[in-house]
Amino acid sequence: MIKAKNDMSHLDGQTTQNSGLAVIGKILVSMRAFIALFLLLGYFAIVNDSFLTQSNLVILTKQVAINAILGIGMTFVILTGGIDLSVGSIVGLAGMVAGALINEGLILEIFGIVIYFNVWIVIAITLIVGMFIGLVNGVIITRFNVAPFIATLGILYVARGLALLSANGATFPNLVGSVELGNTGFPELGAGSLLGLPYSVWIMVVLTILAVFIARKTPFGRQVYAIGGNERAAQLSGVRVKRVTLLTYVISGFCSAMVGLIIASQLVAAHPATGETFELNAIAAVVLGGTSLAGGRGTVFGTIIGAFVIGVLRNGMVLEGLSSFLQIIITGVVIILAVVIDQLQVRLQQRQ
Amino acid sequence: MKHRFLFVACLLALLVTVVVPTMAQDDMDVPMGNGELIVIITPSHDNPFFQAEADVAQARAEELGYETLVLVHDDDPNLQDQHFDVAISQGAAAIILDNAGADASIAPIERAKEAGIPTFLIDREINATGIAASQLVSNNYSCAVAGAEYFVGLMGEEGQYVELLGKETDTNAGVRSQGYNDVIGDFPDLELVAVQTANWSQTEAFDVMETILQGNPGIKGVISGNDTMALGAVAALEAAGMNDVFVVGLDGSPDAVASIEQGGMDATVLQPLALFSAMAVDQASVYIQTGELPAEEKQSIDCLLVTPENTMNYSNFVLSE
């Protein structure tokens, strides 16, 4: 305790020695995602009259929710120093699972029967499938010592293939269910709203609160940071590295399946190609939010801000009618800038 | 004197507003817009077909006095869904859409309809009627039949051939393949040695074709679900020194027509998309100004065969007679 106090006074001394500018610079750098978000909001509010309308802000948030929910799962994975490239494919597969269960039911050929489930059970099964695929990712990585990049890249292909195979490349249309089968109500998830905000936004809010709590207050959360900071040290201090790492992929699978459900419900159809390149958007949100790809440093809340930065940028560019090719370039530049600033921050911290 | 000048000026203005648009669109009387917003949503412009489709629609809408917002959905139904949200929140007067999925597009179109915004579909249909204001499509089946009939003639009704399929999640890929097979199936001496998907893509078609050639060096023809894949196949065939293999595509893109002129591809089938982009905008304009919807929802437009004999009449998706 005394030692800590000493450290503090040492730091204080140094900051007073340094010019105030350096302190402000440091604060600015650490708040970069926030600042970028406000700059973007300000810019689009000025150049486009319809940007700050209530209806546009609602749909903007709805669009952000997709990326943010994926980003929450991805944050845990990246905090351990891993990566999950399979999230987009799991999104597609989850939609197909839900679509198949609603439109065709669970076909048990051995017994010659078809079971149709209530929508809540369909949602639960889909989430379990997502978590199972996350589990497979985790097992391949922790038990067979395959690098996360490779393992999840493999699952990216497998899950996408399964999604395409499930209906031979076709779409499960019109997921409204039927009254006789007692499985109506699926579109409500995507179309319904509470207090003027779509359910997907509420799901994002709940998952964010939950994830922030897990990351900050639970032993699991601290262990995730410990593994990312120094896996060997974490192991030696009694963290069950494999189990914790595996769990982060299960969380990511859960989040992906949730997004798959939301999208299938919004479209009232399950399309097997849904979610292609979503993994890159999710990683971009995480990185923009200041989480280090090397692991150990970052926050869930940062990821949410990152997702908003991407979402605001997209929405604003779409409203402006900017060429889609230019949109891609600008998104890329913003991501690189974010990482460059991130490196700057690391160097500033090391100097002190 | 002054009055006469005014009279002439009024007459001229009338001519410009009434005659010019009608000249562009033959006999239909299309009312002008007052700066209402028309949102145009198409697949990615990396395919010149969709680029031209969007450009024609935009030019026509602006010519009629509308604001436009041109968006791209990259064949991603989720992105398309988000674009519909934007269109609705922007208070668009109409949406012109080349959709991202026959089933997955129904919900957003319905949502727009509920918000009072009609959607005019071009190029691709959806699996529902009574939701879109109109569906202007070229008849993919009859286009494929026209291409296949020409292909059979080129082949002399015999020999081995390969079929390249489009993206299997796209309804048009299946419909086109059906058209090909219904024609070619009647000729028992035409032997289908390989069917592979190349996902509408030129590079994939190149790779697939190279692989197929390894096992089937004796093929005589390739029939492809679209032009980009046909061009990929031509490149692979030329690399293998097989310049005399017949290649027939579908869409009528400028690249394909250039290839026909240079002796690469042998034929393509033109979907007159310039026509349906403009027609869709005209119908939207009629609806916006008068509230009248087209009498027929499904309107199909016939395709035109482009061969070495008529390439000189072709320019950017328009084949003049």
Side-chain angles (χ1 to χ4, degrees):
Chain A
M1 202 55 214
I2 293 165
K3 192 171 181 298
K5 246 183 184 168
N6 281 343
D7 281 350
M8 289 296 285
S9 58
H10 168 72
L11 270 178
D12 284 344
Q14 202 174 41
T15 41
T16 43
Q17 273 165 24
N18 279 350
S19 65
L21 269 177
V23 180
I24 293 168
K26 208 184 131 196
I27 292 170
L28 282 181
V29 168
S30 64
M31 300 269 289
R32 65 192 174 282
F34 256 121
I35 294 165
L37 184 59
F38 281 108
L39 285 180
L40 283 172
L41 283 171
Y43 174 75
F44 286 122
I46 292 166
V47 297
N48 197 307
D49 297 338
S50 40
F51 180 76
L52 275 188
T53 57
Q54 193 199 349
S55 64
N56 188 54
L57 291 179
V58 169
I59 65 164
L60 188 157
T61 316
K62 191 176 118 188
Q63 292 166 9
V64 165
I66 301 290
N67 205 3
I69 295 171
L70 288 178
I72 290 170
M74 187 69 81
T75 307
F76 282 104
V77 171
I78 290 182
L79 279 175
T80 67
I83 194 117
D84 188 351
L85 298 179
S86 65
V87 295
S89 296
I90 300 177
V91 168
L93 180 61
M96 295 305 279
V97 168
L101 288 175
I102 290 171
N103 279 13
E104 298 185 348
L106 183 66
I107 302 165
L108 296 173
E109 274 176 31
I110 319 161
F111 307 106
I113 50 168
V114 179
I115 308 172
Y116 288 92
F117 298 103
N118 170 292
V119 165
W120 286 107
I121 300 175
V122 168
I123 290 175
I125 294 176
T126 308
L127 292 174
I128 290 169
V129 169
M131 288 159 76
F132 175 75
I133 304 215
L135 184 78
V136 173
N137 272 329
V139 167
I140 298 173
I141 291 160
T142 57
R143 308 289 154 183
F144 297 98
N145 287 323
V146 177
F149 191 96
I150 304 298
T152 57
L153 182 67
I155 296 297
L156 176 153
Y157 287 113
V158 173
R160 179 65 65 202
L162 285 172
L164 286 160
L165 197 64
S166 62
N168 246 331
T171 301
F172 284 115
N174 205 19
L175 303 178
V176 290
S178 69
V179 181
E180 302 95 77
L181 300 171
N183 60 357
T184 52
F186 184 63
E188 186 61 15
L189 174 66
S193 61
L194 182 70
L195 305 175
L197 288 176
Y199 288 147
S200 57
V201 174
W202 290 111
I203 294 174
M204 168 179 79
V205 170
V206 170
L207 288 180
T208 305
I209 294 171
L210 209 65
V212 169
F213 176 78
I214 290 173
R216 285 201 189 155
K217 303 286 180 196
T218 65
F220 169 78
R222 281 182 230 115
Q223 288 166 352
V224 166
Y225 280 95
I227 293 172
N230 186 332
E231 190 175 326
R232 181 91 184 113
Q235 179 113 47
L236 290 175
S237 50
V239 175
R240 301 174 83 164
V241 172
K242 288 189 173 177
R243 177 179 293 189
V244 172
T245 306
L246 191 141
L247 259 176
T248 60
Y249 289 92
V250 174
I251 294 174
S252 183
F254 172 87
C255 292
S256 311
M258 183 59 88
V259 168
L261 283 167
I262 293 170
I263 292 178
S265 168
Q266 279 172 357
L267 299 175
V268 201
H271 187 72
T274 300
E276 273 172 5
T277 72
F278 276 24
E279 56 279 353
L280 302 180
N281 296 334
I283 294 169
V286 173
V287 170
L288 272 172
T291 298
S292 159
L293 277 178
R297 188 169 57 84
T299 59
V300 171
F301 197 66
T303 299
I304 303 296
I305 303 293
F308 267 95
V309 170
I310 295 175
V312 167
L313 193 62
R314 288 250 169 93
N315 178 275
M317 291 193 294
V318 164
L319 284 185
E320 282 293 289
L322 211 61
S323 144
S324 63
F325 303 143
L326 265 179
Q327 293 188 22
I328 301 172
I329 296 172
I330 292 173
T331 309
V333 169
V334 167
I335 291 168
I336 292 174
L337 272 180
V339 182
V340 168
I341 298 172
D342 189 55
Q343 289 305 313
L344 207 71
Q345 184 191 17
V346 173
R347 231 177 299 157
L348 275 175
Q349 279 175 342
Q350 280 168 349
R351 211 176 292 163
Q352 286 186 351
Chain B
M1 194 62 207
K2 210 176 177 188
H3 282 275
R4 179 178 286 179
F5 174 71
L6 255 174
F7 175 68
V8 172
C10 284
L11 204 77
L12 267 177
L14 220 107
L15 268 174
V16 171
T17 48
V18 177
V19 178
V20 171
T22 40
M23 257 169 26
Q25 185 49 49
D26 297 337
D27 45 2
M28 215 159 97
D29 215 359
V30 181
M32 297 292 288
N34 306 308
E36 294 98 334
L37 177 67
I38 293 185
V39 178
I40 299 158
I41 309 174
T42 68
S44 174
H45 296 176
D46 61 8
N47 182 334
F49 181 90
F50 301 121
Q51 172 86 60
E53 179 181 84
D55 286 351
V56 169
Q58 185 181 23
R60 181 69 182 151
E62 283 174 0
E63 183 189 328
L64 289 175
Y66 291 96
E67 293 282 318
T68 56
L69 180 59
V70 178
L71 304 173
V72 165
H73 61 55
D74 289 331
D75 284 304
D76 174 355
N78 182 47
L79 188 57
Q80 172 182 281
D81 193 68
Q82 297 180 350
H83 288 339
F84 265 77
D85 280 337
V86 169
I88 293 168
S89 89
Q90 294 301 296
I95 298 170
I96 309 290
L97 171 72
D98 188 344
N99 73 72
D103 289 305
S105 303
I106 297 172
I109 295 172
E110 205 161 17
R111 202 164 68 240
K113 191 184 178 189
E114 278 161 18
I117 306 168
T119 305
F120 298 80
L121 296 176
I122 49 177
D123 181 37
R124 302 176 187 169
E125 304 170 81
I126 54 169
N127 290 339
T129 51
I131 295 171
S134 69
Q135 305 195 31
L136 289 158
V137 291
S138 62
N139 188 332
N140 272 279
Y141 181 79
S142 70
C143 291
V145 165
E149 280 167 352
Y150 189 77
F151 182 71
V152 169
L154 283 174
M155 297 281 290
E157 302 182 9
E158 60 168 17
Q160 295 184 330
Y161 76 99
V162 171
E163 182 186 349
L164 293 177
L165 286 172
K167 203 171 195 151
E168 283 162 307
T169 49
D170 185 338
T171 346
N172 282 348
V175 172
R176 291 177 182 186
S177 178
Q178 187 68 42
Y180 288 158
N181 289 316
D182 285 355
V183 172
I184 301 173
D186 292 339
F187 299 90
D189 294 336
L190 279 166
E191 186 195 350
L192 180 60
V193 290
V195 190
Q196 276 289 326
T197 177
N199 292 315
W200 302 130
S201 145
Q202 195 158 346
T203 38
E204 275 191 51
F206 181 86
D207 294 345
V208 165
M209 200 65 225
E210 271 192 326
T211 316
I212 290 174
L213 285 177
Q214 297 304 312
N216 305 284
I219 61 161
K220 194 174 159 191
V222 176
I223 191 156
S224 163
N226 80 343
D227 281 341
T228 27
M229 294 192 296
L231 289 167
V234 166
L237 288 164
E238 281 175 359
M242 300 171 69
N243 294 329
D244 47 358
V245 174
F246 300 114
V247 180
V248 171
L250 203 158
D251 278 346
S253 74
D255 296 348
V257 175
S259 172
I260 294 173
E261 283 174 339
Q262 291 155 13
M265 281 173 62
D266 295 274
T268 180
V269 187
L270 169 69
Q271 304 198 65
L273 81 138
L275 196 61
F276 46 66
S277 276
M279 277 174 70
V281 172
D282 289 351
Q283 293 178 0
S285 185
V286 169
Y287 173 81
I288 295 166
Q289 305 307 331
T290 70
E292 266 176 57
L293 285 172
E296 293 279 326
E297 181 184 334
K298 291 223 177 188
Q299 302 164 45
S300 125
I301 299 163
D302 285 333
C303 292
L304 306 161
L305 199 62
V306 183
T307 64
E309 284 82 54
N310 64 359
T311 50
M312 57 285 199
N313 299 332
Y314 172 96
S315 131
N316 205 24
F317 293 101
V318 178
L319 190 67
S320 47
E321 294 301 324

